[in-house]
Amino acid sequence: MKNIRVKSPATIANLGCGFDILGLALSEPFDVIGMELLDTRKIEILEITGCDDLSLDPAKNVVGVVLQAMLNRIDDNVGFRVKIEKGIYPGSGIGSSAASAAGATYAANALLENRFSTNELIVFAMEGERLASGTAHADNVAPALMGGITLVRSYDPLDIISIAIPRELFCVVLHPAIEVKTSDARMVLSDKIPLKTAVKQWGNVGGLIAGFYKEDYALIGRSLTDYIVEPVRSILIPRFYELKKVAVDNGALGAGISGSGPSIFALCKGEVSAMRVCNALEMHMRIVGLRGKTYVSAINREGVSVYQEERVMYEVL
Amino acid sequence: MKNIRVKSPATIANLGCGFDILGLALSEPFDVIGMELLDTRKIEILEITGCDDLSLDPAKNVVGVVLQAMLNRIDDNVGFRVKIEKGIYPGSGIGSSAASAAGATYAANALLENRFSTNELIVFAMEGERLASGTAHADNVAPALMGGITLVRSYDPLDIISIAIPRELFCVVLHPAIEVKTSDARMVLSDKIPLKTAVKQWGNVGGLIAGFYKEDYALIGRSLTDYIVEPVRSILIPRFYELKKVAVDNGALGAGISGSGPSIFALCKGEVSAMRVCNALEMHMRIVGLRGKTYVSAINREGVSVYQEERVMYEVL
């Protein structure tokens, strides 16, 4: 195989209480990575569509960085020529860089006859995250590559666990048209937290994981609450609590900040409920004059996958 | 019904990473509470066997306190006469006070024709914990009453979740002949903890709950690690890390401090493995001259239950 084209999904990191450990893959939106295997050791980013702000220089692009990390591990006389179709806005907080990084590792690995394990691909993709945000976190790249809901139990050694996916779980994402830098979002966090608050947080982490396995949607809803990160990061997102209330009042199980924001996610039981929540959020945005984009998405169970279709790119925000 | 006799199990609170939220009920050891319904509003503790240090004064005994809390909620002209057979040493860290408190609420509720829910019984039993340790915690009384593995997701409102029990899970408990007061064990803890450490801890909480549901014994083992409490509380338990190493070297999935100590618990896959770990611990104790008592126990799935048999009391430690 000399060519491949893959789709790589947006992801919601943290999932409320699970700061830095939990992540979930969405069916929409997604990036598409086209890749051609070359017979010289070079990386070439031919084209990026759907976004004007990303660099074609492989050293300054997450895709280039992860491909270089892969090349550094092999001696073969190979290289990669890449086309990136961004379906996920950079800076949206739904794993835009992670999707490109994960997609690139998957595509390259397929062209290299799958010589690397998924765990190794995650480690490569984390290098892209280091470029994008300064931290090589795994809570977006893991679900992007593995699909479903993932738990980063440990970084040293890297230990990623697939969590059961409740059958009727749906997700609504609202991406407000503002920018929050992951590095800024990390800066507002305190180095130390009260033990009592930490206990409440890990009570919820336990409840959320149990809720996923029991398919107990009410338990999932009441376990989402984040006592540590949301209270400070929400300051960076105008009208956050108002939008969260609209989601919950219209039947969402719970809602929170996706990753470092500004996107807001809501979990719902069933697609009908998710559509209702999404409509209510859009209505509210119109009333208060907030611009942004919404998605209703099932859980993406497979993660990055081969993609042959053409697609209509999303309109610019 | 005028009389009842129940057995109420020892419990392991915290279970490694799950400080203040996780608990597990053991099959052994257990307390036995005999109770007679009276037709006047009084509480009488007739006899306590198996332990010399507990008060017969209902105001100073966890059983008396929880029964008074129950009486305060009803207008009936009733009271309780109680005999307590302690099978669990007070101060052992395996829920001695919780077993008596939980057993008393269960017995009284049966005599009152089950007018209270299990959740209400837990709240009554927590009053016994307040007397015993100064804090009305639920992580021992919940598994004692409900059996199995429980998660105290939240105290306000009280929200207790039953967690799946892996079929081959066994537990070894070593109770060294030293005393650690719960109040002292709480005092050594810091009010604030580093966010980075908290993230590792809730990664493990998530991994442990997932491990229980997946019946993934290796995951259970590597998720047990407690980064917050064990490093400080272990100082109060001579040879703790040495004993933990003996357990793990002999096949335990992992080990930790039971509740506030001094008991040490180890989780094992299968009874044979648990016996091997127990034998190795006993051998090591003999070599280093450590006195104490060991138990090998299956997980108690039912919690407090009616008990008719006579039993031979355990020898004094």
Side-chain angles (χ1 to χ4, degrees):
Chain A
M1 187 165 57
K2 287 286 184 190
N3 285 282
I4 190 169
R5 192 160 167 260
V6 302
K7 62 186 268 195
S8 186
T11 45
I12 295 175
N14 298 355
L15 277 184
C17 58
F19 176 63
D20 268 4
I21 62 163
L22 288 176
L24 172 154
L26 297 170
S27 298
E28 297 190 59
F30 53 88
D31 286 355
V32 175
I33 310 282
M35 198 176 290
E36 182 188 345
L37 189 67
L38 306 177
D39 55 8
T40 50
R41 286 180 71 87
K42 71 170 178 184
I43 295 158
E44 197 181 323
I45 301 175
L46 260 194
E47 182 182 70
I48 302 172
T49 54
C51 173
D52 299 330
D53 304 335
L54 299 176
S55 173
L56 291 172
D57 177 353
K60 295 178 181 164
N61 184 298
V62 294
V63 168
V65 167
V66 302
L67 292 177
Q68 188 59 56
M70 293 178 83
L71 276 186
N72 292 348
R73 276 280 303 280
I74 59 176
D75 294 326
D76 313 35
N77 239 345
V78 294
F80 307 99
R81 180 176 291 138
V82 189
K83 283 188 185 181
I84 305 169
E85 303 165 41
K86 289 299 292 180
I88 312 166
Y89 299 106
S92 55
I94 49 173
S96 177
S97 58
S100 292
T105 61
Y106 183 96
N109 197 41
L111 296 177
L112 296 170
E113 292 169 339
N114 295 311
R115 69 177 76 178
F116 294 112
S117 69
T118 301
N119 238 33
E120 288 174 301
L121 298 188
I122 291 171
V123 174
F124 292 132
M126 285 165 68
E127 287 306 311
E129 294 294 69
R130 193 193 302 278
L131 177 76
S133 74
T135 318
H137 59 280
D139 46 351
N140 289 106
V141 293
L145 272 161
M146 297 166 69
I149 302 169
T150 57
L151 165 72
V152 186
R153 192 198 62 80
S154 152
Y155 275 92
D156 185 22
L158 190 66
D159 185 13
I160 293 171
I161 316 294
S162 278
I163 302 296
I165 310 161
R167 278 162 291 186
E168 297 182 73
L169 196 66
F170 273 77
C171 203
V172 179
V173 173
L174 189 173
H175 174 203
I178 58 166
E179 199 186 339
V180 173
K181 286 223 171 87
T182 303
S183 47
D184 289 351
R186 288 207 160 248
M187 237 154 48
V188 298
L189 300 178
S190 301
D191 288 344
K192 287 204 162 192
I193 58 172
L195 176 58
K196 278 189 181 174
T197 315
V199 169
K200 287 164 76 176
Q201 189 88 353
W202 61 62
N204 274 351
V205 168
L208 188 56
I209 303 284
F212 289 145
Y213 278 94
K214 290 160 103 91
E215 299 208 40
D216 181 335
Y217 294 90
L219 175 57
I220 292 169
R222 54 187 200 272
S223 300
L224 279 175
T225 305
D226 168 12
Y227 296 101
I228 311 277
V229 179
E230 183 180 292
V232 285
R233 281 197 177 162
S234 55
I235 299 162
L236 304 173
I237 305 169
R239 298 184 184 274
F240 170 75
Y241 286 106
E242 193 179 309
L243 292 162
K244 180 172 171 174
K245 185 170 187 306
V246 168
V248 172
D249 286 352
N250 282 277
L253 303 168
I257 301 169
S258 175
S260 52
S263 284
I264 298 168
F265 77 96
L267 296 186
C268 297
K269 183 183 178 187
E271 191 166 14
V272 173
S273 170
M275 292 298 300
R276 189 185 309 122
V277 168
C278 185
N279 290 340
L281 285 171
E282 285 178 352
M283 178 84 79
H284 191 81
M285 287 162 70
R286 271 197 296 276
I287 293 169
V288 300
L290 193 68
R291 284 187 317 127
K293 177 133 186 67
T294 57
Y295 306 90
V296 169
S297 174
I299 311 308
N300 179 331
R301 289 166 185 267
E302 61 179 346
V304 183
S305 58
V306 174
Y307 187 66
Q308 304 297 358
E309 301 133 65
E310 285 304 307
R311 71 158 173 186
V312 181
M313 293 304 291
Y314 296 106
E315 79 277 20
V316 175
L317 200 67
Chain B
M1 186 165 57
K2 287 286 183 189
N3 286 282
I4 190 169
R5 193 159 166 262
V6 302
K7 62 187 269 194
S8 187
T11 44
I12 295 174
N14 299 355
L15 276 183
C17 58
F19 176 63
D20 268 4
I21 62 164
L22 288 176
L24 172 154
L26 297 170
S27 297
E28 296 191 59
F30 54 88
D31 286 355
V32 174
I33 309 282
M35 198 176 289
E36 182 188 345
L37 189 67
L38 306 177
D39 56 8
T40 51
R41 285 180 72 88
K42 70 169 178 185
I43 295 159
E44 197 183 322
I45 300 175
L46 261 195
E47 184 182 67
I48 303 173
T49 55
C51 173
D52 299 329
D53 304 336
L54 300 174
S55 173
L56 291 171
D57 177 351
K60 294 178 182 164
N61 184 298
V62 294
V63 168
V65 167
V66 302
L67 292 177
Q68 188 60 55
M70 293 178 83
L71 276 187
N72 293 347
R73 277 279 303 280
I74 59 175
D75 294 326
D76 313 36
N77 239 344
V78 294
F80 307 100
R81 179 176 292 139
V82 189
K83 283 189 186 181
I84 305 169
E85 303 166 40
K86 288 300 292 180
I88 312 166
Y89 299 106
S92 55
I94 49 172
S96 176
S97 58
S100 292
T105 62
Y106 183 97
N109 197 41
L111 296 177
L112 295 170
E113 292 169 338
N114 295 312
R115 69 177 77 176
F116 294 112
S117 69
T118 301
N119 238 32
E120 288 174 302
L121 297 188
I122 290 170
V123 174
F124 291 132
M126 285 164 68
E127 288 306 312
E129 294 294 69
R130 193 194 302 279
L131 177 75
S133 73
T135 317
H137 60 279
D139 46 352
N140 288 107
V141 294
L145 273 160
M146 297 166 69
I149 302 168
T150 58
L151 165 73
V152 185
R153 190 196 63 81
S154 152
Y155 275 91
D156 186 22
L158 189 65
D159 185 12
I160 293 172
I161 316 294
S162 277
I163 303 296
I165 310 162
R167 277 161 291 186
E168 298 182 72
L169 196 65
F170 273 77
C171 202
V172 179
V173 173
L174 188 172
H175 173 203
I178 57 166
E179 199 185 339
V180 173
K181 285 223 172 86
T182 304
S183 47
D184 290 351
R186 287 205 161 252
M187 239 155 45
V188 297
L189 300 178
S190 301
D191 288 344
K192 287 205 162 192
I193 58 173
L195 176 58
K196 278 191 180 171
T197 314
V199 169
K200 286 165 77 175
Q201 189 89 352
W202 61 62
N204 273 351
V205 168
L208 188 56
I209 302 284
F212 288 145
Y213 277 95
K214 290 161 101 92
E215 299 208 39
D216 181 335
Y217 294 89
L219 175 57
I220 292 169
R222 54 187 200 271
S223 300
L224 279 176
T225 304
D226 168 12
Y227 296 101
I228 311 276
V229 179
E230 183 180 291
V232 285
R233 281 197 176 161
S234 56
I235 299 162
L236 304 172
I237 305 168
R239 298 184 184 274
F240 170 75
Y241 286 106
E242 193 179 310
L243 291 163
K244 180 172 172 174
K245 185 169 186 306
V246 168
V248 172
D249 286 352
N250 283 277
L253 303 169
I257 302 169
S258 176
S260 54
S263 284
I264 298 168
F265 77 96
L267 295 186
C268 298
K269 183 182 178 187
E271 191 167 14
V272 173
S273 170
M275 292 299 299
R276 189 185 308 123
V277 168
C278 186
N279 290 339
L281 285 171
E282 285 178 352
M283 178 83 80
H284 191 81
M285 287 162 71
R286 269 198 296 277
I287 292 169
V288 300
L290 193 67
R291 284 189 315 127
K293 177 133 187 67
T294 57
Y295 306 90
V296 169
S297 174
I299 311 309
N300 179 332
R301 288 165 185 266
E302 61 180 345
V304 184
S305 58
V306 175
Y307 187 66
Q308 303 298 357
E309 302 133 63
E310 285 303 307
R311 71 158 172 186
V312 181
M313 294 302 291
Y314 295 107
E315 77 276 21
V316 175
L317 199 65

